[in-house]
Amino acid sequence: FCINAIYAAEEVGSMDEVFEEITNHYDQAGDVARQLKSGLMPVKFFSVMSLIAMCLGIFVVIPKFAEVLRDLKADLPLASAMVMNMGTFFLSHWLFVLVLAVSAVIGSVYWVKTYPEKYDRLLLHVPIYSTLYRLELQYRFTKILALVSKGVAI
């Protein structure tokens, strides 16, 4: 935003207005970031609690159920058998699962930093976020256009 705005100001000759716009832009961005951070705290809390509950289920509850059902020699439906086997697999190969999860996070961060244009293209296809992202891009475009159109007839 800033670089394009400065280029536009050089063309038109209104650097003071552009620097004021940039200041307002960063003030608004800081306010929005603080509001988002405070608004997403409950979501983060419930996400962490859900992850803890899921890990407890996979590493504690499912193996206990599998042991009881194995002792009863009960026939299980395919989906139940798959969940029991998944819990057993995670319990016996927890280090592999942990390394795989950490590798996925590191690989995702590397991909986002290495290919930002592909990440932006991906964001434009995420259902809820895409609308917000497009609105932000349109907002930036109209701000630049407003700065340019002050001195040039369009």
Side-chain angles (χ1 to χ4, degrees), residues 40-55:
L40 289 176
M41 282 306 290
V43 174
K44 290 178 185 177
F45 174 75
F46 287 118
S47 296
V48 168
M49 294 307 289
S50 298
L51 183 65
I52 290 171
M54 187 174 68
C55 288

Side-chain angles (χ1 to χ4, degrees), residues 1-10 15 18 21-22 144 147-148:
F1 170 75
C2 294
I3 294 171
N4 292 331
I6 291 172
Y7 287 149
E10 286 177 348
M15 290 294 272
V18 169
E21 279 294 323
I22 290 172
I144 300 274
L147 290 173
V148 170

Side-chain angles (χ1 to χ4, degrees), residues 13-21:
S14 58
M15 290 294 272
D16 55 340
E17 293 176 23
V18 169
F19 286 131
E20 192 169 323
E21 279 294 323

